[in-house]
Amino acid sequence: METDPNRSIRKICIVGGGTAGWMAAALMAEHFKGAMGQIELVESDDIGTIGAGESTVPPFLQLLAKLGIDEQVFVREVQASFKLGIEFQDWKRKGERYFHPFGTIGAPVDLADFYQLWPRHTDMPARCRISHPQL
């Protein structure tokens, strides 16, 4: 199949809304800035908003900046909160936990990140805990 070099894309259709669909549409609109005919997002009327706590990772702030959206205004308008990470309970085996941080949390302690030390020492007797000015 041969393509005509004089024929340009006039329309992009994004199928599926939700966070991913709307972010894709916003990024394409910003990237093409009117150089392309139309960006259309199609989402189902039958699928309502899930309403669960949606989270993003630190690069989301770069997305807001790229789109020219003020972070403080965004947080206020969508009633957002900052989530530092997620904890998985019964991760490898029953009773074991794993905490996955979203970005850097706390000041580093020697060669370890703060989040790697803190959970280990909250259940220990005070005499056994690390004595460090940053903890």
Side-chain angles (χ1 to χ4, degrees), residues 33-134:
K33 293 187 183 175
M36 186 180 18
Q38 186 179 5
I39 297 171
E40 180 179 4
L41 185 134
V42 178
E43 60 184 340
S44 172
D45 291 335
D46 297 334
I47 301 173
T49 302
I50 294 174
E54 181 111 12
S55 66
T56 58
V57 292
F60 184 74
L61 299 177
Q62 295 168 343
L63 170 71
L64 292 178
K66 170 89 174 139
L67 296 174
I69 299 171
D70 181 88
E71 179 184 339
Q72 290 181 355
V73 172
F74 178 84
V75 169
R76 183 178 62 247
E77 293 297 319
V78 302
Q79 299 177 11
S81 62
F82 287 89
K83 184 176 182 178
L84 299 177
I86 186 167
E87 181 181 55
F88 297 94
Q89 296 197 10
D90 300 329
W91 178 246
K92 288 183 180 177
R93 57 187 71 81
K94 197 82 168 151
E96 189 171 296
R97 301 181 318 199
Y98 168 68
F99 180 78
H100 180 78
F102 300 147
T104 303
I105 299 171
V109 179
D110 297 323
L111 297 176
D113 289 326
F114 175 80
Y115 78 90
Q116 292 174 325
L117 297 173
W118 176 73
R120 294 181 189 167
H121 298 290
T122 56
D123 298 336
M124 296 181 106
R127 62 181 168 72
C128 299
R129 294 182 189 158
I130 291 177
S131 175
H132 197 284
Q134 294 174 331

